[in-house]
Amino acid sequence: MESPSKLQLVYNFTIALLGLIGNTTTIIVFSQRRLRSLRSSFFLTCLAVTDLVFILILIVALLDQLQVPVMTTPVCMSTIYLSHIASFLSSNFTLAYTSHRLIAVLFPIKATTFLKQRTNRVLALALLIFACLFYSLSFPVITTTARSNTTNTVTCKEDETKKLLFPFIILDTLFTFIIPFSLITCMNLAIVYKLQTKLTYKQKLSIATPSAKSSTNSSGQSVTESAPTTQINNVSISKNSVNQEVYRLLQQQQNRSLLCVRPMQRYKGQQNRSVSLIPNPRRSSLYHTNKPIRIRSTQCRATASAKTTKMLLAASTVFLVFNLPYHLLIFCFLIVPKQPPWMGSAVDIARLWFFASFCVNFFVYAICGQRFRSEVVRLFSCSIFRRYFDKREQKIIQERQNSIYLSQRLMPISLTRLSHSN
């Protein structure tokens, strides 16, 4: 065995091992309850299953290179058929989760209405049925050549003399390369432009907010300094009169309830009307105490959505980088009638680079996705490490609860005085 073939064998074995472990782990992690709630988790799981199928095909090719008699006629034809389906589904599943993320970025409020799990399942099933039906056209263009009569192993390839091969390759290039790659590139550019617009808007808002606060503080101080003391006295007198009126109404209700053992319906109506007129400081205080909780939860959701957007943007960009050279060279084979002598070697190198795209997604998710990384650590860690991360997570939750409690305690002074006065 020559040294280039040995290097290729080692490379394919590394790709197969990394892809087998990485895609299996990705399927398990995205099936967990913590990540199942993500809008794009279904298509990411489908993409991992597709990549795993291609890795299994690569393992069969590796066994054939090691002279294991596995490449019989049905296996050989099935590997070509399934490799076409895996390549098509990989491109279109990447297009699907990229379009999901584009909708979530452009229409964050209506994203839950548009992006439903039932729609995702119907779309994935439609893509699978279309791929199975369309790529059944690959069987008539495949020819097999027997290697030996003892092992029944064959060599199969797509015959260039068949008339159906050229339109089949053109349609395959259109469905697998031209349409998905063009749409993914445009969607990624739109997502980057939208994120950049949001970032510049936040920067301008953060610059403009301190100046507005300083102007309002200065105006507020001038108004309070110019206000006469008679208005303050009138406000305090009006508050005391309102409190006395409320106390009088409550006393009337208590006296009526003591005099009437079985009150009439009209007293209930009066009681409801009088109670509705009484200001409820507890209700207003609960509104103000829940306000920082709502703000904090909104900020957490926005941060999680931004991190998910960055992870999916990185995954789709990596997909373009690893798939573009091979499909572009195959497209050049269709257009150029006479290929230069270096084109064959370039296609072989681009094919090896293309194989790496089926094992690299796990590393992209682990590097760019914090939630995915924590779930992988939780999955592979032993009990000691798991206890450590559980304690760390509980500590973070306790700190958040303490901060929420302090924000509740640090209420405006006017609200606390009003509740004590009532």
Side-chain angles (χ1 to χ4, degrees), residues 19 23 51 315 318-319 322 355-365:
N23 290 312
D51 293 347
V318 168
F319 173 81
F322 277 90
F355 289 163
S357 66
F358 293 93
C359 71
V360 77
N361 286 331
F362 170 77
F363 300 99
V364 176
Y365 303 152

Side-chain angles (χ1 to χ4, degrees), residues 104-395:
V105 170
L106 295 180
F107 311 102
I109 298 175
K110 297 182 179 180
T112 54
T113 306
F114 295 149
L115 309 177
K116 295 182 179 180
Q117 293 296 332
R118 184 178 179 182
T119 308
N120 298 341
R121 294 188 183 96
V122 170
L123 180 59
L125 184 61
L127 289 173
L128 180 61
I129 292 172
F130 174 78
C132 292
L133 292 176
F134 174 73
Y135 288 103
S136 61
L137 297 174
S138 64
F139 291 114
V141 299
I142 297 175
T143 57
T144 58
T145 306
R147 296 180 186 175
S148 62
N149 295 324
T150 57
T151 58
N152 294 324
T153 57
V154 296
T155 301
C156 55
K157 65 177 182 178
E158 294 175 344
D159 193 0
E160 297 178 357
T161 59
K162 299 290 181 68
K163 296 181 179 180
L164 187 61
L165 180 64
F166 187 72
F168 172 73
I169 293 178
I170 289 178
L171 291 176
D172 177 46
T173 306
L174 182 67
F175 295 144
T176 308
F177 170 60
I178 297 176
I179 295 176
F181 279 64
S182 302
L183 292 177
I184 289 170
T185 304
C186 295
M187 288 179 183
N188 283 345
L189 292 175
I191 291 171
V192 170
Y193 176 75
K194 187 66 177 180
L195 293 177
Q196 186 66 28
T197 305
K198 286 184 178 179
L199 184 61
T200 53
Y201 177 74
K202 286 181 180 179
Q203 289 177 353
K204 290 180 181 178
L205 189 64
S206 62
I207 292 171
T209 303
S211 60
K213 285 184 178 179
S214 61
S215 62
T216 53
N217 290 330
S218 61
S219 63
Q221 287 176 2
S222 62
V223 168
T224 53
E225 287 174 358
S226 62
T229 57
T230 57
Q231 292 182 0
I232 299 173
N233 293 327
N234 291 330
V235 170
S236 61
I237 290 169
S238 63
K239 284 184 179 180
N240 292 328
S241 62
V242 168
N243 292 329
Q244 290 176 2
E245 184 67 23
V246 169
Y247 181 74
R248 187 177 61 80
L249 290 172
L250 289 173
Q251 286 294 114
Q252 288 179 2
Q253 293 296 328
Q254 289 178 1
N255 293 331
R256 288 174 182 174
S257 62
L258 289 173
L259 289 173
C260 302
V261 178
R262 191 173 294 175
M264 301 297 291
Q265 188 70 25
R266 57 190 180 89
Y267 288 112
K268 291 183 180 179
Q270 290 179 1
Q271 185 178 359
N272 292 330
R273 286 195 294 270
S274 62
V275 170
S276 63
L277 292 172
I278 299 172
N280 194 353
R282 185 179 178 184
R283 190 177 300 170
S284 61
S285 63
L286 285 174
Y287 173 78
H288 286 281
T289 53
N290 290 329
K291 190 175 180 180
I293 300 174
R294 289 196 300 272
I295 293 172
R296 187 180 295 275
S297 62
T298 305
Q299 291 175 353
C300 291
R301 284 196 299 269
T303 305
S305 178
K307 290 180 180 178
T308 306
T309 302
K310 291 178 182 178
M311 184 189 76
L312 297 179
L313 186 64
S316 58
T317 306
V318 168
F319 173 81
L320 292 176
V321 169
F322 277 90
N323 285 264
L324 186 61
Y326 176 70
H327 288 94
L328 192 61
L329 289 174
I330 294 297
F331 185 69
C332 290
F333 260 104
L334 296 175
I335 296 176
V336 180
K338 292 183 180 181
Q339 292 83 19
W342 54 268
M343 185 73 77
S345 301
V347 170
D348 293 335
I349 296 173
R351 186 183 293 111
L352 295 176
W353 184 251
F354 167 71
F355 289 163
S357 66
F358 293 93
C359 71
V360 77
N361 286 331
F362 170 77
F363 300 99
V364 176
Y365 303 152
I367 293 171
C368 301
Q370 184 178 1
R371 295 176 65 181
F372 183 86
R373 187 167 58 249
S374 63
E375 288 298 319
V376 171
V377 171
R378 185 187 298 273
L379 183 64
F380 283 102
S381 61
C382 60
S383 60
I384 298 174
F385 289 104
R386 191 173 297 174
R387 288 174 187 173
Y388 169 73
F389 283 105
D390 288 339
K391 289 181 180 178
R392 185 179 178 184
E393 187 175 359
Q394 289 177 1
K395 186 178 179 181

